[in-house]
Amino acid sequence: MTRIFTTDLPAHVGEQVSLAGWLQSLRRMGGITFLVLRDGWGTAQAVIETEDSLQPLTAANALPESLIRVTGTVQANAAAPNGCELHHIAIEVCVPISEAAPIPLGKRTITAGQNTILDHAMIANRHVSRRATLRLSAGIMEGFRASLRERDFTEVQTPKIVAAATEGGANVFALDYFGRTAYLAQSPQFYKQMMVGIFERVFEVGPVFRAEPHDTTRHINEYVSLDVEMGFIEDHHTVMAVLRAVLHGIMATLQRSYAADLAVLELALPAVPTEIPSIHFAEAQTLIWRETGQDVRSEPDLAPADERWLGAWAQRTFGSDFLFVTGYPMRKRPFYTHPDPARPAFSNSFDLLFRGVELVTGGQRLHRYGDYLAALEHAGLAIEPFAPYLETFRYGMPSHGGFAIGLERLVMQLTGVSSIKLATTFPRDLHRLTP
RNA sequence: GGUCCUGUGGUGUAGCGGCCUAACAUGUCUCCCUGUCACGGAGAAGACCGCCGGUUCGAAUCCGGUCAGGACCGCCA
């Protein structure tokens, strides 16, 4: 008997089939017992009406999470979950488990606290709700890739072991590289720009590493960056339009192919407006000052509280979960940032807030060799460590720009989990290196 | 790095100087139950209240230290 997946059960009504997976729960009602089996895709119910069919489980003393194989006849039944269930079954216990799991997985919601979940992530993530959250992460990557391929972008992979800290200042993890010091890449920024010189339009899905000792619900030290970079742009608005289309594509992919996971989490996807509302950094500060009385106008950046306020403002003013903040001050942006030709103290850059959290950073980059030399000098940085990067511009680069979406932040904001650590399988934070 | 908060059976919580010989829910075990879907009902086992020290006639409860965790800020995706 070939195994089918639990999700394919409705297509086999009337047939004899075999399911394999984990015993999720066993509800004994006396003369009738309901068994729920979970495989990698979903769950299915089997009905046991004789003590004989139950015998293999009781004989093996099999608790939930035991691996079992269930063979039986698929019957349509309105009272069954998903409308069908297995009857007249034979159970084979493949791997009996007689110790209760550290976290009960058979309940609708997980009762364990964050630390317990993370300590037992390999088990806790089996829970259907955790699994749905993590699968949405896969769906986001799928939608991201599909949207960009559709727009003639080429997927690239750039080195994660690098010789120098790319963007001055931020902390990097050092490692021993055959006796030399190397670093884990904190961003594919330089490489994706170099690759614009090769493919014009590139994107990358890959890990980045931040050695910053931050300890908040929206920071982890290793995360997945969804990076995009493209040539021949007008200015940062060209990039923002691509970002809008990509977000739309991601949501469309989730709606189309991840409906089951959305249903498990009872989630409604945010609408991506045709035109995402946008506010200039300076206007945003003035607005906050006028509306809240908090004068943040001399600050070079928006504080998390400001971002939360702006997110709520965008929601009530435009009915949008998304808000672009453009034109961050040059002094807060990395040296390769392109200034606003009309107001050189401000940059042609943007952040995208999603429900009040910074989700994306992007903008236009410098593209002339001379501008880079001047920018490095202005930033007080030596030219020598940047020599390979600068060679790109020395031999001709078009105007270009791009952005980076924080994958886990998108998952967090989309699903509403209380911490970014719950938006990834095995988070790395200040204290956690295992599992 | 700064500020604040929390550690109680496997899990999640209540109790916050004597009613604590530590309560409730869930999980585990035994029994009853033929349509459950967080099944229901009856019973049982399971915790020296994170650890060390102090205050007190008396500490899960107050204080100090220590270890572990969490929230916010700085910084960022």
Side-chain angles (χ1 to χ4, degrees):
Chain A
M1 182 68 48
T2 356
R3 176 201 182 198
I4 66 163
F5 297 156
T6 53
T7 40
D8 291 332
L9 211 57
H12 293 268
V13 171
E15 297 171 32
Q16 176 142 43
V17 301
S18 192
L19 299 174
W22 290 261
L23 173 63
Q24 177 151 294
S25 69
L26 200 63
R27 282 191 279 275
R28 308 194 57 168
M29 316 296 296
I32 190 169
T33 297
F34 297 95
L35 178 157
V36 178
L37 176 147
R38 183 187 74 246
D39 64 11
W41 296 266
T43 58
Q45 175 169 282
V47 181
I48 304 163
E49 290 180 284
T50 66
E51 201 56 35
D52 270 3
S53 338
L54 199 55
Q55 206 274 333
L57 284 178
T58 44
N61 193 21
L63 288 184
E65 295 313 297
S66 293
L67 278 134
I68 56 172
R69 194 175 178 97
V70 178
T71 305
T73 311
V74 185
Q75 282 186 18
N77 185 333
N82 305 318
C84 60
E85 59 194 5
L86 278 186
H87 280 259
H88 310 297
I89 63 162
I91 300 172
E92 183 194 339
V93 179
C94 312
V95 182
I97 299 300
S98 55
E99 187 186 353
I103 294 170
L105 300 175
K107 296 289 172 185
R108 203 192 319 170
T109 53
I110 295 187
T111 50
Q114 180 179 306
N115 199 240
T116 309
I117 291 174
L118 295 180
D119 280 347
H120 300 281
M122 63 298 283
I123 304 303
N125 288 339
R126 291 179 182 180
H127 190 276
V128 289
S129 71
R130 291 287 307 140
R131 186 166 80 174
T133 302
L134 298 173
R135 191 149 29 216
L136 287 181
S137 177
I140 290 167
M141 290 189 277
E142 182 183 322
F144 177 77
R145 288 186 160 112
S147 312
L148 289 160
R149 273 196 218 105
E150 225 169 76
R151 288 170 176 74
D152 305 302
F153 282 75
T154 299
E155 178 161 6
V156 300
Q157 291 287 311
T158 62
K160 301 305 158 205
I161 302 174
V162 298
T166 48
E167 302 172 36
N171 297 326
V172 288
F173 292 105
L175 58 93
D176 176 66
Y177 193 75
F178 304 117
R180 285 192 289 165
T181 301
Y183 304 93
L184 290 178
Q186 59 178 176
S187 157
Q189 182 62 35
F190 289 2
Y191 286 99
K192 69 176 182 174
Q193 284 183 264
M194 294 177 198
M195 297 201 74
V196 165
I198 301 168
F199 293 122
E200 282 195 30
R201 298 183 186 183
V202 296
F203 70 93
E204 177 168 9
V205 176
V208 295
F209 307 89
R210 301 281 167 97
E212 294 147 11
H214 33 216
D215 194 3
T216 78
T217 50
R218 56 186 194 289
H219 288 99
I220 41 180
N221 297 289
E222 174 180 355
Y223 70 92
V224 174
S225 184
L226 306 176
D227 269 274
V228 170
E229 199 74 16
M230 64 188 294
F232 297 98
I233 63 170
E234 191 67 37
D235 56 24
H236 54 301
H237 291 97
T238 314
V239 176
M240 288 157 66
V242 171
L243 171 55
R244 187 267 156 199
V246 166
L247 287 170
H248 181 78
I250 289 172
M251 297 310 159
T253 299
L254 295 182
Q255 195 74 68
R256 190 174 57 243
S257 309
Y258 292 81
D261 300 299
L262 293 171
V264 165
L265 298 170
E266 297 177 337
L267 284 184
L269 291 172
V272 181
T274 315
E275 185 77 24
I276 294 177
S278 178
I279 186 169
H280 190 275
F281 176 83
E283 288 172 42
Q285 287 191 323
T286 307
L287 183 72
I288 291 167
W289 172 59
R290 263 206 335 257
E291 300 280 320
T292 72
Q294 200 84 332
D295 193 358
V296 293
R297 289 173 301 165
S298 56
E299 298 293 327
D301 203 355
L302 295 173
D306 300 335
E307 292 175 346
R308 283 192 290 272
W309 188 89
L310 284 169
W313 172 80
Q315 184 57 254
R316 65 175 182 268
T317 310
F318 307 104
S320 173
D321 285 318
F322 299 95
L323 176 69
F324 275 123
V325 179
T326 62
Y328 281 79
M330 281 298 283
R331 64 181 171 119
K332 277 305 286 185
R333 291 277 158 158
F335 70 87
Y336 50 78
T337 305
H338 198 291
D340 178 351
R343 303 160 81 181
F346 295 101
S347 63
N348 271 0
S349 73
F350 63 86
D351 272 9
L352 180 74
L353 307 185
F354 176 37
R355 296 175 176 163
V357 166
E358 185 179 330
L359 176 70
V360 185
T361 289
Q364 181 181 3
R365 332 293 186 192
L366 300 173
H367 63 280
R368 291 195 176 81
Y369 183 58
D371 290 344
Y372 272 91
L373 296 181
L376 284 170
E377 192 185 345
H378 184 256
L381 294 167
I383 284 174
E384 201 276 322
F386 297 98
Y389 178 55
L390 293 177
E391 187 168 319
T392 310
F393 306 101
R394 192 168 187 169
Y395 297 104
M397 275 289 282
S399 63
H400 65 284
F403 59 84
I405 304 173
L407 173 64
E408 294 83 352
R409 282 205 180 167
L410 181 48
V411 173
M412 169 174 74
Q413 292 302 85
L414 207 54
T415 60
V417 290
S418 57
S419 165
I420 196 166
K421 293 168 195 176
L422 294 173
T424 190
T425 22
F426 302 109
R428 290 290 169 265
D429 66 23
L430 207 45
H431 311 289
R432 188 173 294 278
L433 203 48
T434 56

